Amino acid sequence: MKYVKCHECGGDVEIWSDEDSGFCLDCNAEWAKPDKDVSCLDYCEYADTCREIIEAKKPVG
Ligand SMILES: [Zn+2]
C-alpha cells in the first residue's frame, strides 16, 4: 500500500498495491494510482520546484 497526497485537500490517499485507485481519507476524492514508470515530476504540482532543486543538486561537471 502506498500513500499519495490528495490534490484536492492535501490529505493522504491510501492506494493498495493491487488496486488501481484509492480514496482520500479526508475528502473522499478518488485518485488513480500513479504509474510506477511515470516520474512524480509528471503529475506533481510542485514539479517545477522539484526540477530546480534537482538541477541545483546535480554535481557540477
Ligand atoms: Zn482529499
Side-chain angles (χ1 to χ4, degrees):
M1 189 178 78
K2 71 179 294 180
Y3 285 95
V4 298
K5 279 290 176 215
C6 175
H7 296 212
E8 294 291 338
C9 73
D12 289 321
V13 182
E14 276 184 339
I15 303 181
W16 295 89
S17 54
D18 59 346
E19 300 283 346
D20 289 332
S21 64
F23 290 92
C24 174
L25 299 178
D26 291 329
C27 73
N28 216 35
E30 184 175 10
W31 291 104
K33 182 165 63 180
D35 191 316
K36 65 179 183 298
D37 293 330
V38 174
S39 166
C40 65
L41 295 174
D42 287 341
Y43 59 82
C44 179
E45 63 180 304
Y46 301 115
D48 287 343
T49 302
C50 272
R51 283 196 183 93
E52 290 174 12
I53 293 170
I54 290 168
E55 283 298 316
K57 285 186 174 178
K58 272 185 183 170
V60 177

